[in-house]
């Protein structure tokens, strides 16, 4: 037999594995293990999932438009030639009224998601937003602006949880982290758009332009499929298969994923009824699989809001002015929006490579040092101003650098990770409802931090307030190190099993440990270990 002929007899698709008895008495077998499947064949079409996630997160751009709008409209309304002149009190209502509608929208979105579907929730959320922007664009008095701001805030609250839950359920684990971060990218993009266009256009024209985003989101979402997770939970496996076919492609093993979803739904009692009763809903909400992640994310949002991120966003111009910098304040604000957008994109990419915990630690430590640094500088700035005669500030670049580094480090972690985890951590049965609760808590903390900032500046002075924010970041970092799980690369089923107590860890088991456990179990069953070896000059089967 020639060498060429002998090669034909060897099965290249299998790998013989010989396991011998070690010093610790591990059981050993001779086995032929099939080769691992190609990862590319196990993954669906990435572009289809990217498109679905992008469309679902279009509405989050509108949230950024709402955040940035008040910074643009208030100076124009306060101008002497304003069509609708407003005083200081009315200006504060224009800025804050959107925050009144946001928590209500957050709570309602959870109910709509779980009872009518993720897709319908994303479609419905655009309606009040469209109406709100039209009312503002056509406003002839300040009352119409008030009404428009409440409606756009309501729509902004509704879109947060559905966009993230939809994205997490239509994407596979290797894409989920990066694509769930599209929501944070959309918000940063919206803020930058308003800052930039607002410098060149009137607020009425800007309102008319802003309506384009929710209209596009409404139309495109009509073309998207419902999530397979939701369809399986409502006992619609055939529709789930059709949805997966659109999201993964024809070459993907659709039946296997549907079977996995059905098996998991049966294990967690997520299927069987089209709608949970009130008692079942309450039981699901107080179950550890829901309470544990809710507690983690609530503390996460509290810590990151009290790091000072929205204080910097809302009072950026004032802080730049008080720092004594020679740079133009509006230019600094636009550059801050650019930096936020760039590093939101960077954070989305790093989320896939580095995971949730490392980025969170970067934000916690970076925000802590920059806020303390800013506070210390403002303390010396105050001493210089109170001196007789006043001392000219030095190193005016330092507070500007602190603010920009703060936004950079905060964006890559704090502004992305908790929003991504809303779509990851919660059990399927109440994912929409508790996701709405979480976004409601997040926006409530935004309101608390922004409203308490003036009070804290009177109580602790401005420098003391920023030092306090820095201390919150350091304390939060310790909490995250102790309590925040790493969900990178994990399926939603694995994450739910972990919080339910069905698995003790989300960390991957080491192959050696797994082999040792198998061997110990083999010996425990009374089997006698033996050494097997292939016969000489004989091919393995």
């Amino acid at each position: 037999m020639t060498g060429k002929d002998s090669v034909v007899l060897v099965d290249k698709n299998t790998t013989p594995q010989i396991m011998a008895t070690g010093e610790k008495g591990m059981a050993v077998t001779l086995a032929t293990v099939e080769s691992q499947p190609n990862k590319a064949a196990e993954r669906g079409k990435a572009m289809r999932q990217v498109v679905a996630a992008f469309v679902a997160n279009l509405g989050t751009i509108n949230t950024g438009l709402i955040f940035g709008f008040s910074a643009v409209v208030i100076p124009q309304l306060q101008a002497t030639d304003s069509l609708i002149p407003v005083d200081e009190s009315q200006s504060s209502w224009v800025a804050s009224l959107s925050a009144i509608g946001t928590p209500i929208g957050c709570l309602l979105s959870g109910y709509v998601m779980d009872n009518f579907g993720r897709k319908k929730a994303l479609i419905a959320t655009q309606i009040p937003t469209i109406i709100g922007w039209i009312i503002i664009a056509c406003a002839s008095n300040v009352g119409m602006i008030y009404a428009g701001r409440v409606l756009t805030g309501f729509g902004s609250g509704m879109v947060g949880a559905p966009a993230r839950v939809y994205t997490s359920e239509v994407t596979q684990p290797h894409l989920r982290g990066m694509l769930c971060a599209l929501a944070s990218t959309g918000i940063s993009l919206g803020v930058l758009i308003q800052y930039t266009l607002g410098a060149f256009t009137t607020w009425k024209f800007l309102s008319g332009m802003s309506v384009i985003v929710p209209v596009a989101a409404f139309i495109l979402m009509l073309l998207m499929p419902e999530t397979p997770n939701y369809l399986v939970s409502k006992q619609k496996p055939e529709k789930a298969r059709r949805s997966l076919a659109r999201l993964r492609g024809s070459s993907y093993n659709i039946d296997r994923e549907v079977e996995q979803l059905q098996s998991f739904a049966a294990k967690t009692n997520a299927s069987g009824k089209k709608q949970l009763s009130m008692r079942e809903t309450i039981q699901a909400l107080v179950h550890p699989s829901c309470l544990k992640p809710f507690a983690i994310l609530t503390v996460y949002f509290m810590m990151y809001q009290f790091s000072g991120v929205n204080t910097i966003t809302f009072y950026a111009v004032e802080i730049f002015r008080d720092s004594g910098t020679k740079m133009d304040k509006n230019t600094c604000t636009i550059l801050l929006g650019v930096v936020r957008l760039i590093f939101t994109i960077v954070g989305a990419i790093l989320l896939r490579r580095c995971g949730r915990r490392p980025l969170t630690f970067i934000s916690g430590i970076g925000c802590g040092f920059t806020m303390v640094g800013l506070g210390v500088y403002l303390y010396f700035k105050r001493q210089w101003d109170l001196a007789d005669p006043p001392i000219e500030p030095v190193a005016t670049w330092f507070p500007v650098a602190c603010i920009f580094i703060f936004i950079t480090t905060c964006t890559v972690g704090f502004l992305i990770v908790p929003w991504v985890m809303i779509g990851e951590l919660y059990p399927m049965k109440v994912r929409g409802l508790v996701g709405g609760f979480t976004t409601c808590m997040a926006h409530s903390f935004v309101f608390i931090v922004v409203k308490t900032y003036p009070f804290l500046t009177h109580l602790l002075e401005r420098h003391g307030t920023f030092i306090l924010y820095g201390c919150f970041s350091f304390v939060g970092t310790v909490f995250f190190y102790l309590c925040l799980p790493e969900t990178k690369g994990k399926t939603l089923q694995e994450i739910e099993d972990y919080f339910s107590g069905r698995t003790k860890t989300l960390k991957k088991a080491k192959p050696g440990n797994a082999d040792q456990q198998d061997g110990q179990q083999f010996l425990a069953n009374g089997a006698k270990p033996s050494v097997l070896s292939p016969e000489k000059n004989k091919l393995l089967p």
Side-chain angles (χ1 to χ4, degrees):
M1 179 181 294
T2 65
K4 182 178 180 180
D5 296 332
S6 63
V7 172
V8 180
L9 300 179
V10 180
D11 186 358
K12 296 181 179 181
N13 294 324
T14 59
T15 303
Q17 184 180 29
I18 304 173
M19 301 175 65
T21 306
E23 295 179 359
K24 294 183 179 181
M26 183 191 300
V28 193
T29 60
L30 177 64
T32 302
V33 181
E34 294 184 359
S35 62
Q36 294 295 326
N38 187 355
K39 287 186 177 181
E42 296 295 318
R43 296 177 177 178
K45 300 290 185 181
M47 183 54 64
R48 298 190 181 196
Q49 299 173 61
V50 170
V51 170
F54 176 79
V55 172
N57 285 280
L58 271 179
T60 62
I61 298 177
N62 182 71
T63 300
L65 297 178
I66 295 167
F67 285 174
F69 184 72
S70 61
V72 174
V73 67
I74 290 176
Q76 295 186 23
L77 291 175
Q78 291 177 337
T80 56
D81 59 346
S82 174
L83 296 174
I84 306 176
V86 298
D87 57 26
E88 185 176 352
S89 175
Q90 290 172 322
S91 297
S92 67
W93 281 111
V94 170
S96 61
L97 272 175
S98 63
I100 293 178
T102 300
I104 301 173
C106 293
L107 294 175
L108 183 60
S109 68
Y111 175 81
V112 175
M113 253 197 299
D114 283 342
N115 290 278
F116 300 99
R118 284 60 164 140
K119 175 181 176 179
K120 290 180 180 178
L122 284 169
I123 292 172
T125 189
Q126 309 305 329
I127 297 174
T129 306
I130 293 171
I131 297 173
W133 282 122
I134 292 175
I135 290 175
I136 296 174
C138 300
S140 58
N141 56 68
V142 71
M144 293 181 69
I145 299 178
Y146 290 166
R149 290 289 285 171
V150 171
L151 284 172
T152 54
F154 177 73
S156 171
M158 282 192 69
V159 77
R164 293 168 175 89
V165 171
Y166 183 93
T167 303
S168 69
E169 291 184 351
V170 300
T171 56
Q172 294 176 280
H174 67 286
L175 295 172
R176 189 179 64 235
M178 182 176 66
L179 293 181
C180 281
L182 283 175
S184 299
T185 306
I187 294 174
S188 297
L189 178 60
V191 170
L192 178 59
I193 289 172
Q194 294 294 58
Y195 284 167
T196 305
L197 294 181
F200 308 103
T201 62
T202 65
W203 63 269
K204 276 183 169 286
F205 179 80
L206 192 60
S207 303
M209 292 292 292
S210 298
V211 80
I212 295 175
V213 173
V215 168
F218 181 90
I219 295 173
L220 292 176
M221 200 62 217
L222 292 172
L223 307 177
M224 294 294 106
E226 181 57 87
T227 70
N229 301 58
Y230 176 80
L231 293 171
V232 167
S233 72
K234 299 302 179 182
Q235 295 183 308
K236 298 177 180 178
E238 289 305 319
K239 289 186 177 181
R241 287 186 175 87
R242 290 197 293 270
S243 174
L244 279 172
R246 295 179 61 185
L247 294 167
R248 305 284 192 267
S250 57
S251 60
Y252 181 74
N253 192 340
I254 295 171
D255 289 335
R256 183 185 60 185
E257 184 165 346
V258 171
E259 289 173 1
Q260 290 174 346
L261 291 173
Q262 289 177 315
S263 174
F264 187 77
K267 179 172 65 174
T268 58
N269 296 318
S271 62
K273 288 186 178 181
K274 294 194 174 183
Q275 185 172 350
L276 294 176
S277 66
M278 179 61 69
R279 181 179 179 182
E280 290 170 329
T281 300
I282 294 174
Q283 288 176 341
L285 289 175
V286 299
H287 193 271
S289 64
C290 181
L291 284 181
K292 289 179 182 178
F294 180 74
I296 290 172
L297 286 182
T298 299
V299 175
Y300 198 133
F301 278 112
M302 181 183 70
M303 290 296 182
Y304 112 65
Q305 285 300 334
F306 276 95
S307 71
V309 56
N310 278 303
T311 299
I312 293 294
T313 302
F314 278 78
Y315 297 96
V317 175
E318 181 181 336
I319 295 169
F320 282 130
R321 182 194 64 208
D322 293 342
S323 69
T325 180
K326 306 301 182 184
M327 296 178 63
D328 179 71
K329 315 304 181 292
N330 292 323
T331 301
C332 287
T333 303
I334 294 175
L335 289 176
L336 202 64
V338 172
V339 169
R340 173 172 172 161
L341 175 61
I342 291 173
F343 279 92
T344 303
I345 297 172
V346 171
I349 297 171
L350 291 177
L351 195 67
R352 182 182 178 187
R353 294 179 176 273
C354 303
R356 285 58 164 160
R357 283 171 60 87
L359 295 183
T360 299
F361 299 152
I362 290 173
S363 288
I365 296 172
C367 291
F369 279 113
T370 52
M371 282 292 96
V372 170
L374 179 61
V376 170
Y377 180 88
L378 291 177
Y379 170 77
F380 285 107
K381 172 70 164 48
R382 183 171 180 271
Q383 300 303 315
W384 296 332
D385 292 340
L386 295 176
D388 188 17
I391 301 174
E392 183 70 19
V394 297
T396 56
W397 58 266
F398 183 78
V400 176
C402 284
I403 294 171
F404 275 86
I405 296 172
F406 171 85
I407 289 295
T408 299
T409 56
C410 183
T411 300
V412 296
F414 282 174
L415 265 64
I416 297 176
V417 172
W419 296 106
V420 169
M421 284 188 156
I422 286 178
E424 291 182 332
L425 299 190
Y426 293 128
M428 176 64 204
K429 288 190 291 186
V430 289
R431 185 172 296 152
L433 184 61
V434 74
F437 286 154
T438 307
T439 54
C440 178
M441 294 297 298
H443 288 288
S444 298
F445 288 131
V446 173
F447 175 79
I448 292 171
V449 170
V450 173
K451 288 298 270 184
T452 58
Y453 174 70
F455 169 76
L456 289 175
T457 56
H458 287 292
L459 182 67
L460 304 174
E461 300 292 343
R462 183 165 297 176
H463 61 272
T465 302
F466 287 119
I467 291 174
L468 177 65
Y469 289 157
C471 293
F472 265 105
S473 293
F474 288 134
V475 172
T477 303
V478 175
F479 170 81
F480 301 139
Y481 178 80
L482 297 174
C483 302
L484 188 70
E486 179 57 74
T487 58
K488 174 178 174 287
K490 303 300 179 183
T491 66
L492 300 180
Q493 291 79 15
E494 289 173 334
I495 296 170
E496 185 170 341
D497 281 340
Y498 168 71
F499 283 111
S500 298
R502 290 187 286 268
T503 57
K504 293 184 178 180
T505 181
L506 280 172
K507 296 180 181 178
K508 293 182 179 179
K510 295 181 180 180
N513 292 342
D515 293 340
Q516 185 173 353
Q517 290 175 1
D518 291 341
Q520 291 173 349
Q521 181 66 32
F522 182 81
L523 291 174
N525 292 335
K528 184 178 180 180
S530 60
V531 179
L532 300 181
S533 59
E535 295 180 16
K536 188 176 181 180
N537 298 328
K538 187 173 182 181
L539 294 175
L540 293 173

